[in-house]
Amino acid sequence: MVNAIKGVFISCDIPMAQYIINMNASVPASDKFIIHILDSTHMFVQPQVEQMIRSQIAKFREDNTYVKPN
Amino acid sequence: MPEVRIIAKNFMDMVASMPAMKLDKLYENGFICEAILRSLPPLGKKYVLQLLHIDVPVAAKLLEEWVLPDGYTKHRVAIDRLVQLRVFVEAVDRKNDKTYKLNPTFQKSLQQLLVHGGTLPREPMPSNITVRLPNLEDLEAYALQQWECFLLQLISSSLVEKPSNISSSLMKVFQRRLLSQRDKEAPKLTESGFQFLLMETNAQLWYIIREYISNSEERGVDAADLISFMLELSFHVIGEAYNINSLTDFQRSIIRDLADLGLVKLQQGRKESWFIPTKLATNLSVSLADSSSRKELINCDVYRVEYQLPNLIVGAITKESLYNAFENGITAEQIISFLQQNAHPRVADRTPTVPENVTDQIRLWESDLNRVEMTEAYYYDEFPSRVCKLVSEMYLKVHVTLPENGTVCYGKTRRKCTWWLRPGYIHTYESIYAAKSRSKMQRPYGMVHLHPANVLWKTRKQKFALSFAPWKGNRWKKQWGHTLGHYSLLV
């Protein structure tokens, strides 16, 4: 029978996709959120992690910002 | 974030949206007719003047003959505008042709205006009474100052030293769309509020006046009178004093509000008092120069202020300050256009006004915030039969999206079937039918409806089905019963 799964479809660039996959791998097995990886720029994840992914990406961005010491 | 734009609609659009009876009442005033005539597109003006002294309806076809074929769109635009403003009255004559005639009230007022010349209902006061008349520069400075003060008070009541006399309920009306009020915090500017600030002065003035007029109905003031007074005001001469006693009571009450907005200046002599229209009132289409206090409001969000002198502010556009601005809803395009519009005259001559590295960096920082797009979607798999397996392969290859927003894609399978997905539908060649008669299979046959309302059901053979409907010519006709099997999906 046909299965229907509800989730969130993510479309991003390749580095970000790799970052999300890495995040998924580092999380314990019960929390893994990627349902399917469709190709190098698209994937399908569980709906509740959307906010978590956004905040992680923001944190990643902040970490990579250089602020000149004054 | 939803894109709400404050469109500075023309005063004339507002007039055009008034009901017919009020418009007729407006047209009794010759100045309004003149103002409306001035605002028409050139072809419209020509038509009005040509039909000015003609009393019988003129056939629409005759009007069309006046125009060359190239100008037909302009002709249509002009006619539509005239009908919208109810300057032209449409009718159908005995032969069922469309005819146009000038609105009789409009016609009479305009004819009188042309014949007698436009005289204001009041004359400037003689100069021996009006002492201390401000000269034009002072007047302009006063108008600007009043306007800025009003704007400041609009945005944040705390910043203002000298509050104007506009009643607080009226302020609330103006603020309604510009500020968002949360319970404990101070009122914060909404996205539309920012766009309002970034508009030029004239557009802002129109917005405020429009809100004022539409609010006037609720306060018991007749909008038509208000509009007629405003238009009359626009014909006065700047810098000349007019006696207040020549105004009706209604107009007198309005004039105080207008003084607070900076449209007129009130002065009092020993016995008389008069008002002086400022440039804001008369040149409704000219934009005045911006002043610095508004930029201050924008500065705190976009730039990081480094030094501040009485007539100079030095700020740095940094990543953090821009992220702050983006969080508040300002877009990069708005910032760049603001920089371009308010550039110093010496810089404005350079092309491009804003250096490319600045614009590129602002846009890059904005796109940095939008690297990942997330949309809600459904994922279907494990279709029961081979036919549907092909469908699922199609889906998986391209997109997984909500059924209502399916994408268009197509592919070919081994059995000469073409499958493609349209919003809500999959069109397929009926490959089940191929078993029956291969030669007939040239057209797309089946249709699968993937509306969320569809329910999973079982056929007699205990299979799960997609519902098919045959394709007749150009239209999909829903007919059941032609298929060997039904397939539908649970959504």
Side-chain angles (χ1 to χ4, degrees), chain B residues 246-257:
Chain B
S246 60
L247 297 174
T248 66
D249 286 329
F250 159 76
Q251 290 170 339
R252 231 173 285 194
S253 61
I254 304 291
I255 207 106
R256 304 223 174 270
D257 286 337

Side-chain angles (χ1 to χ4, degrees), chain B residues 168-341:
Chain B
S168 61
S169 57
L170 206 53
M171 279 305 221
K172 282 212 170 35
V173 168
F174 295 145
Q175 284 172 336
R176 190 170 42 198
R177 287 210 286 170
L178 298 178
L179 298 181
S180 71
Q181 186 125 15
R182 269 163 271 184
D183 294 313
K184 289 177 199 159
E185 305 167 11
K188 204 166 99 80
L189 217 49
T190 61
E191 194 179 324
S192 35
F194 268 120
Q195 289 172 10
F196 176 77
L197 275 185
L198 292 170
M199 281 194 295
E200 50 172 19
T201 313
N202 191 51
Q204 291 176 338
L205 186 64
W206 277 129
Y207 178 77
I208 295 289
I209 289 186
R210 218 175 71 235
E211 292 281 318
Y212 186 66
I213 292 180
S214 34
N215 182 250
S216 67
E217 296 282 326
E218 297 162 28
R219 287 181 298 131
V221 167
D222 189 16
D225 286 336
L226 194 50
I227 296 183
S228 64
F229 179 53
M230 293 214 156
L231 282 173
E232 241 184 72
L233 203 54
S234 68
F235 283 102
H236 287 49
V237 180
I238 314 177
E240 295 285 341
Y242 298 92
N243 198 336
I244 283 205
N245 292 337
S246 60
L247 297 174
T248 66
D249 286 329
F250 159 76
Q251 290 170 339
R252 231 173 285 194
S253 61
I254 304 291
I255 207 106
R256 304 223 174 270
D257 286 337
L258 294 182
D260 286 326
L261 285 176
L263 289 170
V264 301
K265 184 175 163 79
L266 295 172
Q267 266 190 332
Q268 222 159 351
R270 264 180 295 149
K271 286 187 240 171
E272 318 271 330
S273 51
W274 54 85
F275 70 93
I276 309 169
T278 66
K279 201 167 177 203
L280 271 178
T282 50
N283 284 349
L284 297 170
S285 61
V286 171
S287 68
L288 300 174
D290 286 312
S291 81
S292 63
S293 56
R294 189 173 353 134
K295 290 186 194 137
E296 264 184 47
L297 290 163
I298 303 191
N299 283 350
C300 33
D301 271 334
V302 173
Y303 322 141
R304 188 192 66 212
V305 176
E306 304 216 357
Y307 327 109
Q308 196 165 348
L309 301 173
N311 62 344
L312 176 70
I313 295 183
V314 178
I317 304 182
T318 66
K319 198 171 171 188
E320 295 79 24
S321 69
L322 273 184
Y323 279 173
N324 203 9
F326 294 142
E327 264 172 58
N328 279 333
I330 318 182
T331 66
E333 290 308 320
Q334 282 177 337
I335 297 177
I336 295 175
S337 60
F338 175 76
L339 288 174
Q340 272 174 341
Q341 279 170 10

Side-chain angles (χ1 to χ4, degrees), chain B residues 338-354:
Chain B
F338 175 76
L339 288 174
Q340 272 174 341
Q341 279 170 10
N342 300 331
H344 192 274
R346 241 194 250 164
V347 168
D349 296 332
R350 212 170 52 184
T351 48
T353 317
V354 183

Side-chain angles (χ1 to χ4, degrees), chain A residues 1 3-5 7 9 11 13, chain B residues 371 373 375 377 379-382:
Chain A
M1 103 164 229
N3 276 348
I5 307 176
F9 175 69
S11 131
D13 49 359
Chain B
R371 282 180 88 170
E373 271 176 29
T375 37
Y379 183 81
Y380 301 103
D381 67 348
E382 288 186 37

Side-chain angles (χ1 to χ4, degrees), chain B residues 443-461:
Chain B
R443 301 171 293 164
Y445 199 97
M447 177 157 68
V448 174
H449 187 92
L450 288 181
H451 193 270
N454 268 358
V455 175
L456 193 72
W457 78 80
K458 294 184 182 181
T459 65
R460 285 169 301 163
K461 294 188 184 171

Side-chain angles (χ1 to χ4, degrees), chain B residues 83-94:
Chain B
V83 171
Q84 193 188 30
L85 282 169
R86 283 184 240 281
V87 170
F88 265 19
V89 173
E90 249 184 56
V92 177
D93 70 358
R94 281 164 301 170

